[in-house]
Amino acid sequence: MKKLILLVLLTFPAFATNKFWVGGGSTTAWDATANTNWSLTTGGTGNAAIPGTSDDVFFDANSGTATANLAANITIKSLTTTGYTGTITQNSGVNLFIQVGSLLLTSGMTYTPASYTALIEFLGNDNGATLNTGGKTIGNIVFAQNTGQSVSLASNVNTIGAFYVNGGTVNLAGYNVTAANAFQWSGASTVLNLGSGTI
């Protein structure tokens, strides 16, 4: 008697994981391999997988003060730097994509874009994200959310590049934007709420 074996493959969605910068990688680059600079816990053992699209990324008080270099394009869920006193550098032509969440730079850390082409882009596949630059000057900033999705400023924004609003809704929320190169607002469904903010 022959038996029929039915193999069922289930596909589960990726779950968000917290990734903490702890250093100790083969280089100071975000995408350093063998070993990486990442841990699954604050101040924990390194060599965790490099952050990806479903990961919330944290630089905190246990991240040390060594420079972290964003040297290749990366897409993450969100970035928070509360308690971090080190330096994040972003190379020219390198893109940091925020997939869903927020971006928080804080006053105690240093952020250095190599040029205006060091781009930060909100893909905004969720609603209610915020951008707080912590008083840091950034390169090009792009908002490209889906229709109906929004990002709100939580600080003034000063960019050595351009300020692009190319999708969804951007709320200045009373904060001001200073863009060295250009301001662009485009798309039939794009909404820019100035409130008391200025550009």
Side-chain angles (χ1 to χ4, degrees):
M1 180 177 184
K2 295 183 179 179
K3 293 183 180 179
L4 176 64
I5 298 174
L6 179 62
L7 178 63
V8 178
L9 297 177
L10 299 176
T11 302
F12 296 96
F15 292 99
T17 303
N18 292 340
K19 296 289 178 65
F20 296 84
W21 177 274
V22 293
S26 57
T27 72
T28 59
W30 281 46
D31 61 340
T33 57
N35 294 326
T36 77
N37 291 291
W38 301 98
S39 175
L40 296 176
T41 58
T42 178
T45 302
N47 209 26
I50 298 166
T53 58
S54 62
D55 294 329
D56 294 302
V57 172
F58 297 89
F59 288 75
D60 63 13
N62 293 318
S63 295
T65 58
T67 297
N69 181 225
L70 186 56
N73 295 346
I74 190 168
T75 303
I76 57 176
K77 182 181 176 186
S78 67
L79 172 62
T80 301
T81 62
T82 302
Y84 180 56
T85 56
T87 299
I88 297 174
T89 62
Q90 185 174 351
N91 290 3
S92 295
V94 169
N95 301 328
L96 172 60
F97 297 106
I98 306 298
Q99 180 73 31
V100 176
S102 300
L103 172 64
L104 170 62
L105 303 177
T106 50
S107 59
M109 54 86 69
T110 301
Y111 169 75
T112 305
S115 74
Y116 72 91
T117 63
L119 178 143
I120 297 171
E121 181 169 342
F122 280 83
L123 302 177
N125 297 327
D126 200 356
N127 211 11
T130 59
L131 167 63
N132 190 329
T133 64
K136 313 305 177 188
T137 298
I138 61 176
N140 288 332
I141 179 74
V142 178
F143 300 91
Q145 302 83 247
N146 295 331
T147 300
Q149 308 304 312
S150 68
V151 175
S152 297
L153 301 190
S155 70
N156 292 331
V157 172
N158 185 32
T159 169
I160 56 176
F163 189 91
Y164 296 107
V165 183
N166 294 340
T169 297
V170 174
N171 301 304
L172 295 195
Y175 293 101
N176 303 320
V177 174
T178 302
N181 286 353
F183 164 71
Q184 176 180 301
W185 171 34
S186 63
S189 61
T190 300
V191 178
L192 176 64
N193 292 323
L194 291 173
S196 60
T198 61
I199 297 177

